[in-house]
Amino acid sequence: MSDKSFFKPGFTSAFDHAAARRTIIVAGGAGFIGSNLCKRLIDAGERVICIDNLSTGRSENIAGLIAHPNFAFYLHDIVKPFGISGPVDQIYNLACQASPPKYQSDPIHTFKTSIIGAVNLLRVAELKSARILQSSTSEVYGDPEISPQAETYRGQVNTVGPRACYDEGKRATETLFYEMHRQRQIDVRIARIFNTYGPRMDPEDGRVVSNFIVQALQDQALTVYGDGSQTRSFCYVEDMLDGLMALMEADSDLPTISDPVNLGNPGEFNMLELAQMVREMTDARADIVFHPLPKDDPHQRRPDIGRAKRLLGWEPHVPLRLGLMATIPYFREQIEQGQTLRRGGAVA
Ligand code: NAD
Ligand code: UDP
């Protein structure tokens, strides 16, 4: 489990800035997507400053990077302002609790993280003339009335439901990024990320892929919410990193590059299909049990990725079955190491 004492907070980087590499901040870098991104950037020879409050992030996600000379970790809540010494070239904002049971147990802080956290990161971006990418979400479409969802669709979101702290925080932050670009010429990128899965997910995260795999591996019944007919489109994390980095690296002269871009895998599955696939792939003997559908749970979700294809030449390559084949051994290892699903991760 996360050992916060493992790290020392601080804001003076010890990097050798005379060297030619770029310095990249990854806010939320100890989380699932963030830690995969940190690893990818370090492997590419970049310097990485990871900022995380370890609310849903885990020290074990970045344990392999902590001693690397190009990696620095700051234990910090981005809701509080901060400064960084030395140059910064890029900022990825991945800081936000993303699992419904997690953000719903901490709604006000989740909302503040999206908005005040973004204000603080945008301030650093402006000061350092750094490019900044916001991890927005398919949740901006709420419970969509059309499928697939293109960026032009304005969504159907409840402002006061249990998911609102997340959805509305992300929507407002897109507006903030848009205005900071228009009024203050900050070089912004907005990725609307659809459901992403893969290694480094927290076994207790509570989202569907981790729940089903961990349940199946522990011979616990797989918890399908509602009748399981609701759909999601699942993107393997390595494909998502390719998309995020392509968006970050895209030329600033490209028209509309600062507008939102959907990133996700258009393959659409319902939750019963996913449960059955996981059972089959893990040889699970456990049953499927049905729990009530959480309030405002979207009925369908499928990205139109035409814009990402045209603008970035990006599309995902890993089909769900292949991605699960790479993810199941990771969770098996986590369970063997004692990272078991004690609370079932399920929405109460
Ligand atoms: P995650 O919960 O694993 O990672 C989020 C990270 O942010 C964690 O390490 C957490 O400790 C950190 N964090 C949260 N609040 C913070 C704060 N106030 N200050 C500093 N750090 C803070 O989630 P993830 O799946 O890796 O998601 C990463 C980003 O991508 C999030 O912004 C999320 O909204 C977005 N996103 C993810 C998905 C997905 O399916 N994984 C889909 C859409 C959008
Ligand atoms: N879900 C489920 N069983 C679980 C966890 C989630 O059936 O144990 C369902 C959930 O109701 C939703 C879908 O799976 O319809 C995706 O849920 P997740 O929390 O992964 O992401 P989100 O709802 O934010 O897309």
Side-chain angles (χ1 to χ4, degrees), residues 32 58 60-61 198-203 213 217 324-337 339:
F32 158 52
R58 299 184 303 154
E60 37 296 33
N61 279 348
R200 292 197 166 87
M201 285 189 98
D202 183 348
I213 296 176
L217 292 176
L324 291 176
M325 272 170 68
T327 306
I328 290 167
Y330 158 78
F331 281 114
R332 190 171 278 124
E333 203 176 295
Q334 292 282 300
I335 290 167
E336 280 162 12
Q337 289 169 4
Q339 310 282 332

Side-chain angles (χ1 to χ4, degrees), residues 100 139 163 195 206-209 211-212 215 223-225 230 232 271 293-294 297-298 301:
E139 295 291 328
R163 298 174 80 97
N195 297 63
R207 282 176 277 186
V208 70
V209 174
N211 271 11
F212 284 176
Q215 287 162 344
T223 52
V224 169
Y225 301 162
Q230 71 275 29
R232 293 293 186 274
M271 295 311 104
L293 189 69
D297 198 293
R301 196 52 74 61

Side-chain angles (χ1 to χ4, degrees), residues 98-101 103-104 137-139 163 166-167 194-196 201 205-212 215 221-226 228-234 270-272 274-275 289 291-294 296-301 344-347:
S99 161
Y103 70 65
Q104 287 171 26
T137 170
S138 56
E139 295 291 328
R163 298 174 80 97
Y166 183 77
D167 301 7
F194 284 65
N195 297 63
T196 301
M201 285 189 98
D205 179 89
R207 282 176 277 186
V208 70
V209 174
S210 48
N211 271 11
F212 284 176
Q215 287 162 344
L222 278 65
T223 52
V224 169
Y225 301 162
S229 63
Q230 71 275 29
T231 67
R232 293 293 186 274
S233 297
F234 297 102
N270 72 43
M271 295 311 104
L272 206 47
L274 177 68
V289 290
H291 287 201
L293 189 69
D296 291 345
D297 198 293
H299 290 94
Q300 58 179 354
R301 196 52 74 61
V347 177

Side-chain angles (χ1 to χ4, degrees), residues 27-34 51-58 76-79 93-99 109 113 135-138 166 170 193-197 205 207:
F32 158 52
I33 299 179
I51 302 175
D52 203 296
N53 68 353
L54 296 182
S55 51
T56 50
R58 299 184 303 154
H76 183 74
D77 190 319
I78 60 162
V79 170
N93 180 20
L94 296 166
C96 188
Q97 312 193 41
S99 161
H109 195 251
T113 294
S135 61
S136 192
T137 170
S138 56
Y166 183 77
K170 293 285 188 179
I193 301 174
F194 284 65
N195 297 63
T196 301
Y197 68 98
D205 179 89
R207 282 176 277 186

